[in-house]
Amino acid sequence: MALINASSPHTRGPVDTGMVMRQVIYATLPGLAILTLLFGIGTLLNVVWAILVAVLCEAAMLRARGRPIALYLRDGSAVVTAVLLALALPPTAPWWLTFIGVAFAIVVAKQLYGGLGMNPFNPAMVGYVLLLISFPVAMTNWVGGAPYRTPDVLESVFQFLGHGALDGLSGATPLDTFRTFAGNADALDRMIVLHGRWAGLGWEWVNLAFLLGGLYLLFRRVIGWHIPLAFLAGLALPALIAWQIDPLRYADPLFHLFSGGTMLGAFFIATDPVSAATSSRGRLIYGALIGILIWVIRTYGGYPDAVAFSVLLLNLAAPFIDYYTRPRTYGHERAKRGAGS
């Protein structure tokens, strides 16, 4: 019998990286469906185009690095990055905007760091922040109502470097609208985009759909509960305190929880196993700080949503958090008592 010399793990389970990534993609489908239903076909087109760009960029980088292309493409990580970034883009985002963001996320934020498992920052959020800083008008204007006629959306998506139908379709998001008119009761009452059931018009359904997908990931044990729970609590608590002090100037907790990219960030982005904290206590701290930062930036910062900036800042702090929240080595306390006896 030949001796098998292989590294651990020697006992393997049925779950591999590809299966985990597929579960994440399945969990985004309710959110994708609601976005497409409410805001037009642009989101669906963004997702399809982003996946194609991500796969091509990943294959090109793997070939340049001399890695087996088929083996690494099968893990599905490039597709997940593309889907998460595309879901965060406005439905009327032109094709070149999606191309730039996805290409930068795959080539720079992922492959130049060594590929899956080596990137210190969430690649999708790196691509999103690049676009937000470089093209702020296109990135902060969503369609002002829903649904829009498919020909108009297609004209915006397939435009070249001009504006096309984008100006006629787009408007401020609920978060940006509330911040602009905070403290002005009459103006807030006139803003239809703010008057959904619990949050911004239509956005509560988008966030409920991503919440459903997140609960699916928890049920399948693809992610743990620590980061999402701490994330949502860290956002809701300061929002509740501020809202109790001045409800005209500060949005209520439900508005923050069900507007913008809150649920997408809590369950799909902040839980990235590579760039997030890894210890149990560390995940609670990591998630809570992301939530608090989101509220601070939404309330006082210059950007309307802030999920991407908050996640990237805490990606930077994740090694520090892990260092100070490492679980105690098994037997450490016993050895300490024995030495002192």
Side-chain angles (χ1 to χ4, degrees):
M1 180 181 295
L3 178 65
I4 299 176
N5 184 13
S7 62
S8 61
H10 302 295
T11 301
R12 300 177 183 269
V15 179
D16 59 12
T17 302
M19 182 177 295
V20 170
M21 296 298 172
R22 286 193 295 273
Q23 296 298 323
V24 174
I25 294 171
Y26 300 154
T28 64
L29 294 180
L32 173 60
I34 297 298
L35 280 168
T36 303
L37 177 65
L38 294 181
F39 298 107
I41 199 173
T43 300
L44 181 60
L45 294 176
N46 281 343
V47 169
V48 174
W49 173 234
I51 290 173
L52 178 61
V53 173
V55 170
L56 292 176
C57 289
E58 183 101 332
M61 289 300 295
L62 290 171
R63 182 180 179 86
R65 295 175 58 205
R67 302 297 177 89
I69 297 176
L71 176 65
Y72 284 94
L73 285 181
R74 278 200 299 268
D75 65 26
S77 59
V79 175
V80 169
T81 297
V83 170
L84 294 180
L85 177 52
L87 289 173
L89 296 178
T92 51
W95 66 269
W96 52 266
L97 194 76
T98 306
F99 177 87
I100 293 172
V102 173
F104 191 83
I106 296 297
V107 174
V108 177
K110 182 184 177 185
Q111 286 296 328
L112 289 186
Y113 280 101
L116 180 64
M118 304 296 291
N119 49 286
F121 301 101
N122 186 296
M125 293 299 96
V126 171
Y128 181 86
V129 167
L130 171 77
L131 296 179
L132 187 59
I133 294 174
S134 304
F135 310 99
V137 175
M139 288 293 293
T140 55
N141 283 325
W142 279 64
V143 291
Y148 267 99
R149 294 189 305 114
T150 296
D152 291 335
V153 175
L154 291 177
E155 184 180 347
S156 288
V157 171
F158 291 108
Q159 64 171 296
F160 285 82
L161 297 181
H163 290 289
L166 185 62
D167 292 337
L169 287 171
S170 59
T173 63
L175 286 168
D176 199 23
T177 301
F178 185 92
R179 189 186 58 187
T180 300
F181 297 101
N184 188 335
D186 293 335
L188 291 175
D189 286 339
R190 290 196 303 268
M191 297 295 109
I192 297 176
V193 72
L194 299 176
H195 299 156
R197 290 178 179 267
W198 313 289
L201 184 63
W203 285 93
E204 64 267 271
W205 302 112
V206 174
N207 277 277
L208 282 171
F210 283 121
L211 173 60
L212 177 64
L215 294 176
Y216 170 80
L217 294 180
L218 287 172
F219 175 76
R220 295 302 301 266
R221 297 186 178 181
V222 174
I223 62 175
W225 60 268
H226 304 78
I227 292 175
L229 180 62
F231 180 116
L232 298 177
L235 174 59
L237 184 58
L240 176 62
I241 295 172
W243 179 63
Q244 290 290 335
I245 295 172
D246 189 348
L248 282 180
R249 188 165 298 277
Y250 301 102
D252 65 84
L254 286 179
F255 186 86
H256 278 287
L257 291 176
F258 292 98
S259 287
T262 300
M263 296 300 172
L264 180 66
F267 291 96
F268 295 89
I269 295 171
T271 54
D272 175 25
V274 177
S275 56
T278 57
S279 65
S280 295
R281 283 191 301 149
R283 289 174 181 174
L284 290 172
I285 296 170
Y286 173 85
L289 289 176
I290 290 177
I292 294 170
L293 272 176
I294 289 173
W295 181 82
V296 170
I297 298 174
R298 283 180 176 180
T299 306
Y300 302 108
Y303 292 94
D305 198 343
V307 171
F309 287 104
S310 302
V311 169
L312 291 179
L313 285 171
L314 265 296
N315 286 166
L316 188 65
F320 178 83
I321 294 172
D322 278 337
Y323 180 81
Y324 284 101
T325 58
R326 289 178 298 179
R328 191 175 296 277
T329 305
Y330 180 75
H332 179 80
E333 285 294 330
R334 178 174 297 182
K336 185 176 179 181
R337 292 194 194 99
S341 60

